[in-house]
């Protein structure tokens, strides 16, 4: 079973990745907890698919485990749902020796981690991701939170899990569009940190798109290795961890402009990665002129979009650029972009010329 370590001193934790890991979850998780009752939190859909299997694995390992559900979907990622789950913690008498386990995709993991970070001022937390996006990104690194009227993901806490258990075979139950959108973050890791991983993805794109279990397990393990390196280097995103936001400043603008109704997160990031490569070219930072075409080809083969549609591309590009000023990665008024130089290497650029940013948005819009 591949085990990736997130090295954070006394708070270090393993990421176990293996086919069938869901059935071994109890044996893996129990030694990392403090013996009290465990509350599994999942959305109603995931609970139906995988909830009983996880509960059985936990109980077999001697853990006293119960499950609570919330309605599936991003609208549930709110303080109101967190409050309902804190009430569930009280009802099930989850105390400081207990733990909360997030079973599911990004919404479930972010919400559950936030619930754990506040309940009794912080109790043990475990991630059991079931979506590709959660396996390769959101379950690792301790970013947790909820959406609020102030914006998406603006309220939250860093709360590292005690362990992450990933059974990559459960992606077999995922909706096709959701599955494909998870690859945006996988491609991102290749572009920002590993030319070798990017080339491997190009060679294995058909197997990945077809959910070949061996290829998926390798993609998940390699992604977790790269993410774990960033988290260990810069847990609180004061420096190099910002590289994980490649494609996200453009992508968040697309999501906001379309009111989160048109794109899944990964789809917006996919288009955003192309826009960021174009901005890099415009600023003379792109050492490998072939990279944008390679990126577009790989995204296409993985079933991800490369262009945003608009009847008026020029006006749309200006509108999208205006959203960047509101991005939560803005520091001291400067908008920060992660721009690729070549496969495996990126550079952080603060406040590039506004006309170049608008033109880069325009490069990714088709009428
Ligand atoms: N998803 C980006 C990060 O965890 O930093």
């Amino acid at each position: 079973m591949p085990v990736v370590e997130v090295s954070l001193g006394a708070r270090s934790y393993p990421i176990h990745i293996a086919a069938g890991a869901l059935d071994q979850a109890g044996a893996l998780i129990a030694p990392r907890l403090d013996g009290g009752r465990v509350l599994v939190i999942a959305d109603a859909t995931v609970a139906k698919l995988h909830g009983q299997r996880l509960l059985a694995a936990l109980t077999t390992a001697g853990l006293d485990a119960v499950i609570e559900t919330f309605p599936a979907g991003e609208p549930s990622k709110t303080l109101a749902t967190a409050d309902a789950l804190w009430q569930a913690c009280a009802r099930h008498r989850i105390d400081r020796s207990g733990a909360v386990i997030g079973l599911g995709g990004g919404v479930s993991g972010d919400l559950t981690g936030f619930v754990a970070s506040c309940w009794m001022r912080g109790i043990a937390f475990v991630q059991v991701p079931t979506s590709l996006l959660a396996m390769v990104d959101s379950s690792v690194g301790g970013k947790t939170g909820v959406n609020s009227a102030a914006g998406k993901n603006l309220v939250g806490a860093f709360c590292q899990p005690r362990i992450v258990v990933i059974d990559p075979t459960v992606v077999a139950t995922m909706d096709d569009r959701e599955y494909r959108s998870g690859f945006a973050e996988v491609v991102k890791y290749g572009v920002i940190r590993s030319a070798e991983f990017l080339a491997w993805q190009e060679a294995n794109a058909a197997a990945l798109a077809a959910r070949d279990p061996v290829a998926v397990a390798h993609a998940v393990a390699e992604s977790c290795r790269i993410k774990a390196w960033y988290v260990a280097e810069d847990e609180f995103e004061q420096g190099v961890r910002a590289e994980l936001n490649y494609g996200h400043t453009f992508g968040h603008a697309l999501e906001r402009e379309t009111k989160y109704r048109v794109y899944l997160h990964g789809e917006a990031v996919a288009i955003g990665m192309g826009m960021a490569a174009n901005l890099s070219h415009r600023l003379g930072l792109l050492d490998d002129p072939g990279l944008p075409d390679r990126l577009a080809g790989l995204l296409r083969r993985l079933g991800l979009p490369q262009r945003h549609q608009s009847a008026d591309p020029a006006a749309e590009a200006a509108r999208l650029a205006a959203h960047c000023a509101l991005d939560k990665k803005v520091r001291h008024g400067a908008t920060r972009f992660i721009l690729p130089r070549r496969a495996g290497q990126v550079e952080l650029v603060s406040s590039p010329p506004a006309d170049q940013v608008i033109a880069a948005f325009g490069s990714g819009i088709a009428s």
Side-chain angles (χ1 to χ4, degrees), residues 137 140 143 188 227 237 241 244-245:
D137 184 14
V140 176
K143 282 188 181 176
K188 174 190 83 178
K227 175 106 192 225
E237 203 174 309
R241 184 167 176 172
L244 294 171
N245 298 320

Side-chain angles (χ1 to χ4, degrees), residues 150-367:
K152 273 189 89 170
N153 288 327
L154 290 177
V155 176
F158 282 97
C159 175
Q160 299 294 344
R162 296 266 180 106
I163 178 174
V164 182
V165 178
I166 302 178
D167 183 342
T169 64
V170 303
V171 301
T173 60
M174 284 186 74
D175 161 78
D176 200 44
R177 188 176 165 206
E178 288 275 356
Y179 173 70
R180 282 185 273 115
S181 79
F183 280 114
E185 306 289 352
V186 178
V187 172
K188 174 190 83 178
Y189 292 122
V191 176
I192 67 172
R193 191 76 197 157
S194 171
E196 199 185 334
F197 186 35
L198 190 68
W200 179 88
Q201 291 174 44
E202 291 174 309
N204 291 277
L208 292 169
R211 309 191 195 200
D212 173 80
V214 176
V216 174
H218 181 79
V220 170
E222 219 36 51
S223 298
C224 286
R225 249 176 226 122
I226 294 174
K227 175 106 192 225
W229 180 85
Y230 278 102
V231 174
E233 282 294 306
D234 179 22
E235 182 180 5
F236 300 112
E237 203 174 309
Q238 297 302 304
V240 73
R241 184 167 176 172
E243 291 184 2
L244 294 171
N245 298 320
Y246 168 52
H248 286 61
T249 304
F250 287 99
H252 288 153
L254 284 164
E255 288 182 285
R256 268 200 298 271
E257 177 62 23
T258 56
K259 302 191 167 39
Y260 300 93
R261 288 188 194 128
V262 174
Y263 296 114
L264 297 177
H265 177 67
E267 294 170 337
V269 169
I271 298 171
M273 287 193 289
M275 291 169 165
N278 181 271
L279 182 57
S280 183
H281 168 66
R282 286 174 184 284
L283 299 180
L285 296 171
L286 194 63
D287 296 335
D288 173 4
L291 185 64
D293 281 350
R294 273 182 74 188
L295 176 65
L298 178 57
L299 294 173
R300 189 177 55 249
R301 293 177 66 206
L302 293 170
L304 282 159
Q306 300 104 62
R307 292 275 185 278
H308 171 60
Q309 301 289 325
S310 168
D312 186 351
E316 183 80 343
R319 270 195 302 273
L320 287 163
H323 286 289
C324 292
L326 304 169
D327 196 273
K328 73 173 178 301
K329 309 300 181 208
V330 168
R331 291 253 172 113
H332 305 297
T335 311
R336 290 143 38 100
F337 291 88
I338 305 300
L339 304 183
R341 293 203 73 116
R342 64 177 76 89
Q345 195 189 326
V346 286
E347 185 164 322
L348 190 151
V349 175
S350 280
S351 295
D355 59 331
Q356 300 290 5
V357 173
I358 294 173
F361 269 110
S363 76
I365 303 176
S367 56

Side-chain angles (χ1 to χ4, degrees), residues 83-98:
D83 190 36
L85 293 169
W86 286 319
Q87 291 176 47
C89 286
R91 226 174 21 254
H92 292 296
R93 303 193 186 290
I94 303 297
D95 64 22
R96 295 192 63 86
S97 69

